[in-house]
Amino acid sequence: MQPFTTLTSTPAPLKVINVDTDMIIPKQYLKTIKRTGLGTALFSEMRYKEDGSENPDFVLNQPAYRKSEILVAGDNFGCGSSREHAPWALLDFGIRCVISTSFADIFYNNCFKNGILPIKVSQEDLDKLFDDADRGSNATLTIDLETQTIKGPDGGTVTFEIDPFRKHCLLNGLDDIGLTMEKATKIDAYEEKLKARAWA
């Protein structure tokens, strides 16, 4: 998993509340178990018209936001079913950070497992960040995970809270497998003890 330390990007504003996982990645794309290739299907029902052409009104189709790595979204982001394909699609598109006032618990946990930083802020701070995002390519946000800050284009700073263990995992790029491998030496030593007992 790619470590998350600092991230500077034009933020994309998605002013929609209760964005569920079916909106993030519709059910017809859930047949795959691969984590790659889902970026083109991200928000597909909003991004594309019925004929398959792009919807120019959708934020991620607009020139200023096509390469956004930060998504500023409405309350209760990631609600609905527990599909892990949702963070896979966000990450494959290039989104490394989602900022909202609240997240559905399962989606929130799945983000950390896949290298995405979900940040919870107050409604007041979210409104400020929406204002910054509305400025398009004229404004960028910088996320610093170590200092737990979001720096705006005009020098303003928003701080955020994060669980220390999750922060450690993101900073070091540790998913569940990576965490297990950190203890590889102890695991090997334990297995050697078991072998020794079996032959005793």
Side-chain angles (χ1 to χ4, degrees), residues 63-102:
Y65 305 113
R66 282 185 178 274
K67 295 186 178 180
S68 290
E69 296 178 73
I70 301 170
L71 189 65
V72 182
D75 186 54
N76 196 29
F77 190 86
C79 58
S81 66
S82 60
R83 63 190 66 169
E84 195 169 0
H85 292 68
W88 293 355
L90 286 163
L91 191 62
D92 194 59
F93 180 86
I95 302 292
R96 292 293 318 275
C97 177
V98 182
I99 305 171
S100 181
T101 52
S102 65

Side-chain angles (χ1 to χ4, degrees), residues 101 121-131 158:
T101 52
V121 297
S122 67
Q123 186 62 55
E124 181 182 0
D125 285 337
L126 187 72
D127 291 340
K128 292 176 186 175
L129 295 169
F130 271 136
D131 287 342
V158 172

Side-chain angles (χ1 to χ4, degrees), residues 36-66:
T36 57
L38 292 172
T40 55
L42 179 70
F43 298 119
S44 66
E45 292 179 357
M46 292 185 280
R47 274 173 73 194
Y48 305 110
K49 298 179 180 179
E50 288 187 8
D51 64 2
S53 63
E54 287 188 350
N55 173 9
D57 295 328
F58 186 66
V59 62
L60 295 179
N61 289 337
Q62 295 168 13
Y65 305 113
R66 282 185 178 274

Side-chain angles (χ1 to χ4, degrees), residues 165-183:
F165 175 72
R166 286 171 164 162
K167 178 178 178 178
H168 167 78
C169 290
L170 278 180
L171 285 171
N172 293 282
L174 298 172
D175 56 13
D176 290 345
I177 294 172
L179 283 168
T180 302
M181 294 308 296
E182 274 195 323
K183 295 178 172 57

Side-chain angles (χ1 to χ4, degrees), residues 84 87 103-116 118 166:
E84 195 169 0
F103 297 88
D105 286 343
I106 295 175
F107 174 82
Y108 186 75
N109 293 330
N110 282 340
C111 281
F112 287 106
K113 291 180 179 181
N114 289 280
I116 296 174
R166 286 171 164 162

